[in-house]
Amino acid sequence: MTKNTKFRTPDCGLTKVQQMLGGKWKLLLLWYLSEETRRFGEIRRCFPEITEAMLTKQLRELEQDKLIHREVFKVVPPRVEYSLTDLGSKFFPIIEAMYDWGEENLKN
Amino acid sequence: MTKNTKFRTPDCGLTKVQQMLGGKWKLLLLWYLSEETRRFGEIRRCFPEITEAMLTKQLRELEQDKLIHREVFKVVPPRVEYSLTDLGSKFFPIIEAMYDWGEENLKN
DNA sequence: CCGTATCCGGAATGATACTG
DNA sequence: CAGTATCATTCCGGATACGG
């Protein structure tokens, strides 16, 4: 017998994670938001390579997956803040582990 | 100042990890191979949803990234075995953490 | 300031047939 | 058994323009 027969269910945790974080920028965005709450404009300036449309899309997907929280302040000019949810925070150590592994093992 | 200014280098570890594991099946394949060395046919039977062409491609990419080792036995009929490299093994705890996080937090 | 709407190209993935 | 070769398709991400 093998150890990990559990892993082959169609909705196994790993499959879901892969789907949730498949977006090209999601890990980076989560990492950035883990530092502190950020306004939309801050995020945009920090990631100039992402177009606004794409940035909005990825943020909304992260919100739907309950990894980040989006708060709209009804003021003029508008103000929108993004922050990690508890769920997102719980995932953060994994992101750090991936970063560390990458830094340690993928030098060039 | 923010804590993680390091994370925004263009070739930061996290970006590389995302690129390496972006493939739709790579996490699952690594997980599967972490159990033990597998022959091509075994892998194919375990993942019937992946076409042969795609499976070959993803395995070769993992090999190029030095996460898995591919060994060809020159016999008839041919025999090819795949196994994790040391580098791949070092990444395994992260996969487990992702799996656990998914199982714990993404129940429907 | 913080978005949405629309269109588009190319990469990622898939289906099918064939081979040493 | 373990692949290649081709062709089709889907889908992610990008460019650009416009809106409350």
Side-chain angles (χ1 to χ4, degrees):
Chain A
M1 276 302 289
T2 61
K3 295 175 297 185
N4 294 320
T5 46
K6 57 180 180 178
F7 88 102
R8 277 297 297 151
T9 62
D11 62 343
C12 104
L14 197 54
T15 304
K16 292 183 198 160
V17 170
Q18 176 127 328
Q19 286 164 359
M20 276 183 35
L21 302 178
K24 186 171 173 184
W25 308 101
K26 292 192 179 167
L27 286 178
L28 276 308
L29 289 173
L30 286 179
W31 183 294
Y32 184 55
L33 291 178
S34 72
E35 297 182 273
E36 51 184 296
T37 297
R38 299 286 185 186
R39 296 187 57 177
F40 183 82
E42 288 182 284
I43 304 174
R44 183 164 51 75
R45 280 190 298 279
C46 184
F47 297 89
E49 329 88 78
I50 317 182
T51 61
E52 287 193 340
M54 191 50 51
L55 182 55
T56 300
K57 192 182 160 222
Q58 307 253 329
L59 287 170
R60 294 299 164 82
E61 286 173 10
L62 288 171
E63 189 195 6
Q64 280 195 1
D65 289 334
K66 314 228 183 270
L67 289 167
I68 67 176
H69 174 66
R70 176 172 178 265
E71 184 153 14
V72 182
F73 298 84
K74 303 208 170 187
V75 295
V76 185
R79 174 189 184 86
V80 181
E81 291 187 351
Y82 294 89
S83 56
L84 286 197
T85 59
D86 285 353
L87 183 57
S89 300
K90 278 192 236 160
F91 193 75
F92 178 67
I94 300 179
I95 295 183
E96 265 199 313
M98 285 195 269
Y99 173 85
D100 292 340
W101 180 88
E103 286 294 307
E104 213 171 303
N105 299 295
L106 303 181
K107 282 301 173 197
N108 286 4
Chain B
M1 274 303 289
T2 60
K3 294 177 300 185
N4 293 321
T5 46
K6 58 179 180 178
F7 87 103
R8 278 296 298 152
T9 62
D11 63 343
C12 103
L14 197 54
T15 305
K16 291 184 197 158
V17 170
Q18 175 126 329
Q19 286 163 0
M20 274 183 38
L21 302 177
K24 187 171 172 184
W25 308 101
K26 290 191 180 166
L27 287 178
L28 276 304
L29 289 173
L30 286 179
W31 183 294
Y32 185 56
L33 291 177
S34 72
E35 297 183 274
E36 52 185 296
T37 297
R38 299 285 187 186
R39 297 185 58 173
F40 183 82
E42 289 181 282
I43 304 173
R44 183 164 50 74
R45 281 190 297 280
C46 184
F47 297 88
E49 329 88 78
I50 316 181
T51 61
E52 288 192 339
M54 190 51 49
L55 181 56
T56 299
K57 192 183 160 227
Q58 307 253 329
L59 287 170
R60 294 297 165 83
E61 286 173 10
L62 287 171
E63 188 195 6
Q64 279 195 2
D65 289 332
K66 314 227 182 270
L67 288 167
I68 67 176
H69 173 66
R70 175 171 178 266
E71 184 154 14
V72 182
F73 297 85
K74 304 209 169 186
V75 295
V76 185
R79 173 188 185 87
V80 180
E81 290 186 350
Y82 294 90
S83 56
L84 286 198
T85 60
D86 285 353
L87 182 57
S89 299
K90 277 191 236 162
F91 192 75
F92 178 66
I94 301 179
I95 294 183
E96 266 199 313
M98 285 195 270
Y99 174 84
D100 291 341
W101 180 89
E103 287 293 307
E104 214 171 302
N105 299 294
L106 304 180
K107 281 301 174 196
N108 284 4

